[in-house]
Amino acid sequence: MGRKLLTEHINVEGIETFEVYRKHGGYRSVEKAIKTMTPDEVVEEVKKSGLRGRGGAGFPTGMKWSFLAKPEGVPRYLVCNADESEPGTFKDRQLMSKLPHLLIEGMITSSYALGANTSYIYIRGELLYVLRILEKAIAEAYAAGFLGKNILGSGYDLDLFVHPGGGAYICGEETALLESLEGKRGNPRNKPPFPAVQGLYARPTVVNNVESIAAVPVIVNDGGDEYAKIGVGRSTGTKLFSACGHLNKPGIYEIELGLPVEEFIYSDEYCGGIWKGRELKAVVAGGSSVPILPKELILKTAAGENRLMTYESLSDGGFVTGTMLGSGGFIAMDETTCIVRNTWNFSRFYHHESCGQCSPCREGTGWMEKVLHRLEHGHGHMEDIDLLVSVAKQIEGNTICPLGEAAAWPVAAAVRHFRHEFEWHVTHAKEAAQPGAVYRPSGVLV
Amino acid sequence: MAKITFDGIEVEVPDGTTILNAARQIGGSIVPPAMCYYTPLKGSGGKCRACLVRVAAGSAKDPRPMPKLVASCVTPVQDGMVVENTTNPQVLDVRKGIVEMLLINHPLDCPVCDQAGECDLQNFAFEHGVSTTRYQEERRTFEKIDIGPLIQLHMTRCILCYRCVYTADQIAKGDRIHGVLGRGDAAEIGTYIENIIDNDFSGNVIDVCPVGALTDKTFRFKSRVWFTKPVNAHRDCPKCSGNVVLWYKGNDVLRTTARKDQYGEVKEWICNECRFEKKETADWTIEGPAHIDRSSVISANHYELPVLNQSVVADLPESTQRDLQQNPPLKLGN
């Protein structure tokens, strides 16, 4: 049984209230940090912990904090990115709705470390019910003196606001999020300047994911070194995975980083194997934007070792044999899944969500979607398969923000690992276009 | 000051200069193309991705290459930076891709487009594109939109460079009612509830448009640009500098535009009165012919007709000589 650092008390009745949360050790990190530590000491603990951004990029959080410019007399901001909207990723909303005070505690401790007197939680507009939960919890924290003026008599002031976004995937990109938070259209900004130098209202800003911020109280309470003992190598601590797809027990699991993928899928403690006793076909390990891997490659690395749920092991072999840990959106697909249809579906999403600012993403996402639509509906040609790869390559790395890569990687990886399935859609166009048709090596339709 | 190497050529520029502007200091054909960047417009650039370059060394302090290609128009130089543009095959390959992407929803209607001859996309495609396309799907089309009595929007030709949006935003402060609607490839330039842009400087959106999406209603279809003669002129205008280019056909002023530099950028915005209303030579003080680059198609019709020497004609067959007398295609000299 792995240790649960964030979700230990998630099933305690009433844990979403200040009173119960406090009884279970809540807000200890705020007291410890504000009363006994300097802001720099808190940053140092986070650095020692080796915590890496849980939103997808995996950048070391402590290092990100230390990049924050600190000019005299200029406000700094901490913004929590709660705009979780990647298909397959749904861990943050659970964390926020069940443990709102954990996030608020993390926000207070982190804001203290960064010297921010105003902080924001930017939440996806559709999550209105979570917004209400957070607002209620924030009001409780104000009433208890953990927010507002002169927190715990220390002289430190902090105001915390929750801001609902308009419900666009692009607003999860940190600079688009800041634009949206400023009341503008959520278009990503050109970088540099980076938010650490010029972020919200052109002031130094740190943007962190919900899960990253929720891990800060644990790190401050137990110490960075303790936290770093969990996990493998540079992948320290625990991580929430939202498992969905053809699994016996889909759900949100907090695991210690380093768990073998095979154990995660098949053990009863976690996903309990593939439903209806079917065979696993492929897995998208970190949300729909990361490259898909067939069963053989998701279970074993290129060297034939067990693939572990860590940043390094999942990306072992680059994008030829590896993928990414991403945001932890673990989508398992059984043998009845048509990869072409699935890829088209992902592609539809990215086409719909592209902001349209830069040419490769604006035009390329639509182009890929249309070609995939043709292939899926029996109007494809053999050269379309290479065309998809070529268009994906033209988008990848050439856009303002990473949405271009998010759109290109799933398509390129699907063709890389399942080219035969795309070819079958061309050579057996009529059969493939039937609803529910799936390629099988024997040629039998499901 | 920062010293950078651009395609093997060293140049020293003030700190904060962008890579593109550093390249422009060298000049010539190595300057990356720019479809959305426009020097006078704050915040422009970074969108079309036409000016992507490879940074082979970030700076003298940190000589590591940048992992991705960067937009040269928005990336500031650092001392010791090494940039590859025309010398890097990846950059040239990507540029082909960008042309292909931009031409997906831009019709090749150059023969009827008013911007033909002055179109940045035409030049970009000619220099960096390929003659074929792999795009087979349906392309988007739009009805033409009248943006007031003076400007027409052909959304079909728009490549969403945002220049007109920035122009309207920065020149017509407080009056802006047009912008980008929708997102992804459904994005379009629009005026909310089809309002007009009603500002004294709104005509400048026509000048900044790199393609033929925004056209001058007082000029449309009157002439191809290479049949007109650009002349610099000025007038005492209470609203703007009054420095313009008059485009003549015979004795008629067909069009008035702001003056542009070699990169097609307007330095001084002009007002709508100068642009749309003053169409008589008497309204202006003429300065002389405007400079047009020899390589520009606008120069194409300005050659003197060659003179055929009579002694050459005398050697021609009689039937040819008769034809020449009846239908002289060229001037006949002595």
Side-chain angles (χ1 to χ4, degrees):
Chain A
M1 201 63 183
R3 272 169 291 183
K4 309 254 181 291
L5 301 183
L6 309 186
T7 59
E8 190 186 350
H9 304 302
I10 199 162
N11 291 324
V12 172
E13 198 168 331
I15 194 74
E16 68 281 0
T17 63
F18 179 83
E19 204 186 342
V20 179
Y21 182 73
R22 187 89 169 113
K23 260 185 212 159
H24 285 83
Y27 289 97
R28 268 193 302 133
S29 74
V30 176
E31 289 173 314
K32 184 177 174 185
I34 291 184
K35 288 180 179 168
T36 68
M37 297 167 82
T38 65
D40 285 346
E41 282 170 349
V42 181
V43 175
E44 204 47 44
E45 285 305 317
V46 176
K47 267 191 185 171
K48 272 194 231 164
S49 74
L51 175 70
R52 292 170 68 174
R54 303 299 197 215
F59 193 80
T61 305
M63 199 185 290
K64 193 176 193 176
W65 286 12
S66 63
F67 289 157
L68 187 73
K70 291 178 178 170
E72 282 296 313
V74 168
R76 299 187 279 278
Y77 297 104
L78 170 67
V79 177
C80 171
N81 184 348
D83 191 85
E84 179 181 57
S85 42
E86 177 119 335
T89 310
F90 45 89
K91 59 177 178 84
D92 289 346
R93 70 168 191 204
Q94 186 79 346
L95 209 52
M96 288 188 288
S97 59
K98 291 279 182 69
L99 292 164
H101 282 288
L102 177 66
L103 176 62
I104 295 164
E105 184 182 350
M107 285 298 287
I108 301 168
T109 314
S110 308
S111 300
Y112 171 73
L114 296 166
N117 296 109
T118 308
S119 296
Y120 296 91
I121 299 171
Y122 180 94
I123 193 165
R124 189 169 174 78
E126 283 94 327
L127 294 180
L128 210 57
Y129 73 101
V130 182
L131 174 105
R132 304 257 185 273
I133 294 169
L134 283 172
E135 278 180 339
K136 196 171 164 226
I138 287 172
E140 288 177 332
Y142 266 105
F146 281 93
L147 277 172
K149 295 267 177 222
N150 194 18
I151 295 171
L152 304 178
S154 64
Y156 173 64
D157 307 333
L158 176 67
D159 281 313
L160 179 60
F161 300 96
V162 196
H163 184 101
Y169 173 69
I170 189 64
C171 290
E173 196 279 334
E174 62 175 0
T175 56
L177 185 155
L178 295 177
E179 285 282 294
S180 173
L181 193 52
E182 287 178 9
K184 291 180 262 178
R185 184 185 156 100
N187 280 353
R189 296 175 183 170
N190 286 305
K191 289 189 262 187
F194 290 91
V197 179
Q198 225 178 81
L200 186 64
Y201 311 125
R203 302 298 185 208
T205 304
V206 165
V207 184
N208 278 149
N209 176 254
V210 171
E211 197 187 336
S212 313
I213 290 173
V216 173
V218 180
I219 293 165
V220 172
N221 283 337
D222 302 347
D225 289 330
E226 274 306 304
Y227 188 86
K229 281 180 191 163
I230 305 168
V232 176
R234 286 178 56 231
S235 300
T236 60
T238 60
K239 165 98 189 79
L240 296 185
F241 275 85
S242 50
C244 63
H246 301 147
L247 295 163
N248 277 326
K249 287 163 54 188
I252 298 161
Y253 297 98
E254 183 176 3
I255 63 155
E256 290 185 25
L257 284 169
L259 183 80
V261 175
E262 192 165 7
E263 194 182 330
F264 184 66
I265 297 174
Y266 291 103
S267 94
D268 281 339
E269 190 185 337
Y270 300 106
C271 302
I274 306 302
W275 75 339
K276 300 182 183 175
R278 288 181 186 158
E279 272 289 303
L280 177 67
K281 182 174 185 176
V283 167
V284 174
S288 67
S289 65
V290 311
I292 190 170
L293 282 188
K295 179 186 175 182
E296 305 74 43
L297 289 176
I298 190 66
L299 300 181
K300 302 278 180 197
T301 63
E305 292 162 354
N306 274 344
R307 207 180 275 280
L308 309 179
M309 297 181 81
T310 62
Y311 292 93
E312 291 78 19
S313 181
L314 280 168
S315 59
D316 181 67
F319 285 172
V320 179
T321 58
T323 179
M324 282 170 78
L325 186 137
S327 58
F330 194 93
I331 310 170
M333 299 170 198
D334 75 12
E335 57 197 319
T336 66
T337 311
C338 172
I339 298 296
V340 177
R341 192 175 312 130
N342 178 67
T343 312
W344 171 50
N345 209 15
F346 283 172
S347 214
R348 278 168 68 196
F349 174 78
Y350 291 106
H351 174 206
H352 185 260
E353 297 297 332
S354 166
C355 82
Q357 238 193 142
C358 58
S359 345
C361 180
R362 180 180 67 237
E363 308 295 350
T365 50
W367 192 359
M368 288 195 302
E369 195 249 298
K370 286 168 190 161
V371 173
L372 282 160
H373 178 275
R374 266 198 287 128
L375 280 163
E376 167 60 18
H377 291 84
H379 308 296
H381 309 287
M382 229 25 137
E383 55 270 25
D384 284 343
I385 303 168
D386 285 331
L387 175 66
L388 278 176
V389 180
S390 166
V391 175
K393 203 173 139 231
Q394 279 176 7
I395 302 172
E396 187 189 340
N398 299 331
T399 51
I400 296 178
C401 80
L403 194 138
E405 274 100 16
W409 286 339
V411 175
V415 176
R416 187 184 309 125
H417 298 299
F418 297 93
R419 180 178 271 270
H420 51 279
E421 216 160 304
F422 284 81
E423 287 171 355
W424 182 76
H425 271 254
V426 177
T427 53
H428 295 73
K430 216 171 165 184
E431 295 102 301
Q434 288 172 33
V438 174
Y439 168 84
R440 289 285 183 86
S442 57
V444 180
L445 298 176
V446 172
Chain B
M1 295 295 277
K3 201 179 267 183
I4 75 157
T5 310
F6 192 95
D7 276 353
I9 304 167
E10 269 200 6
V11 61
E12 200 167 7
V13 292
D15 291 327
T17 308
T18 59
I19 298 174
L20 180 76
N21 281 329
R24 283 182 174 182
Q25 296 207 6
I26 301 167
S29 58
I30 64 160
V31 179
M35 304 296 296
C36 67
Y37 174 76
Y38 210 74
T39 310
L41 297 174
K42 206 171 156 248
S44 68
K47 295 176 178 63
C48 68
R49 317 304 281 175
C51 69
L52 289 179
V53 291
R54 169 138 175 84
V55 176
S59 66
K61 272 187 198 161
D62 183 3
R64 286 178 299 173
M66 289 190 182
K68 294 179 186 177
L69 301 185
V70 299
S72 58
C73 63
V74 289
T75 310
V77 295
Q78 303 227 42
D79 192 38
M81 189 181 256
V82 177
V83 183
E84 295 168 351
N85 177 36
T86 53
T87 53
N88 187 302
Q90 188 196 355
V91 171
L92 299 178
D93 192 47
V94 163
R95 238 164 244 172
K96 268 186 202 149
I98 300 291
V99 173
E100 193 177 23
M101 297 282 190
L102 287 175
L103 289 178
I104 281 181
N105 281 313
H106 181 92
L108 293 179
D109 62 348
C110 310
V112 298
C113 174
D114 266 24
Q115 190 87 356
E118 299 177 302
C119 174
D120 289 352
L121 183 57
Q122 203 174 31
N123 297 337
F124 182 36
F126 182 73
E127 282 159 22
H128 296 282
V130 288
S131 58
T132 53
T133 179
R134 298 171 295 170
Y135 191 80
Q136 305 171 18
E137 310 347 288
E138 198 177 327
R139 290 152 202 270
R140 65 181 197 165
T141 52
F142 294 88
E143 294 296 318
K144 295 182 189 75
I145 301 169
D146 284 331
I147 304 182
L150 302 168
I151 305 167
Q152 188 153 65
L153 169 63
H154 283 238
M155 198 46 230
T156 317
R157 293 179 190 151
C158 176
I159 57 164
L160 288 156
C161 69
Y162 286 56
R163 278 183 186 177
C164 63
V165 177
Y166 285 114
T167 307
D169 202 16
Q170 287 166 30
I171 295 183
K173 280 192 177 107
D175 286 350
R176 183 167 81 90
I177 47 170
H178 102 299
V180 178
L181 312 174
R183 66 185 177 205
D185 59 4
E188 58 178 287
I189 300 293
T191 54
Y192 302 111
I193 51 173
E194 298 216 350
N195 276 327
I196 60 163
I197 300 178
D198 188 14
N199 180 278
D200 276 345
F201 283 77
S202 64
N204 289 293
V205 298
I206 301 165
D207 279 347
V208 301
C209 183
V211 291
L214 290 160
T215 49
D216 177 348
K217 277 191 175 177
T218 65
F219 174 66
R220 285 163 55 77
F221 304 126
K222 286 198 174 160
S223 176
R224 305 318 313 236
V225 64
W226 53 88
F227 294 132
T228 60
K229 192 175 169 190
V231 172
N232 283 342
H234 67 265
R235 67 182 273 268
D236 189 14
C237 176
K239 294 178 196 160
C240 68
S241 71
N243 292 325
V244 300
V245 178
L246 305 177
W247 299 77
Y248 276 92
K249 191 171 185 182
N251 292 325
D252 298 330
V253 177
L254 294 193
R255 179 170 71 147
T256 310
T257 63
R259 293 186 194 173
K260 293 183 176 181
D261 66 7
Q262 58 178 319
Y263 300 108
E265 290 178 353
V266 172
K267 296 297 174 199
E268 290 174 342
W269 308 112
I270 62 166
C271 68
N272 284 1
E273 189 185 342
C274 286
R275 182 186 300 275
F276 298 117
E277 291 170 25
K278 301 294 175 188
K279 297 273 177 149
E280 300 295 330
T281 304
D283 296 329
W284 299 94
T285 307
I286 305 296
E287 295 172 20
H291 172 76
I292 297 292
D293 202 90
R294 265 187 68 105
S295 62
S296 167
V297 71
I298 304 173
S299 299
N301 211 37
H302 300 150
Y303 300 116
E304 286 294 317
L305 288 175
V307 178
L308 258 184
N309 197 309
Q310 283 291 10
S311 61
V312 177
V313 178
D315 289 340
L316 297 170
E318 268 187 35
S319 57
T320 313
Q321 285 190 38
R322 238 188 346 267
D323 279 354
L324 277 172
Q325 292 293 341
Q326 285 163 3
N327 303 302
L330 305 167
K331 276 186 192 171
L332 292 175
N334 294 322

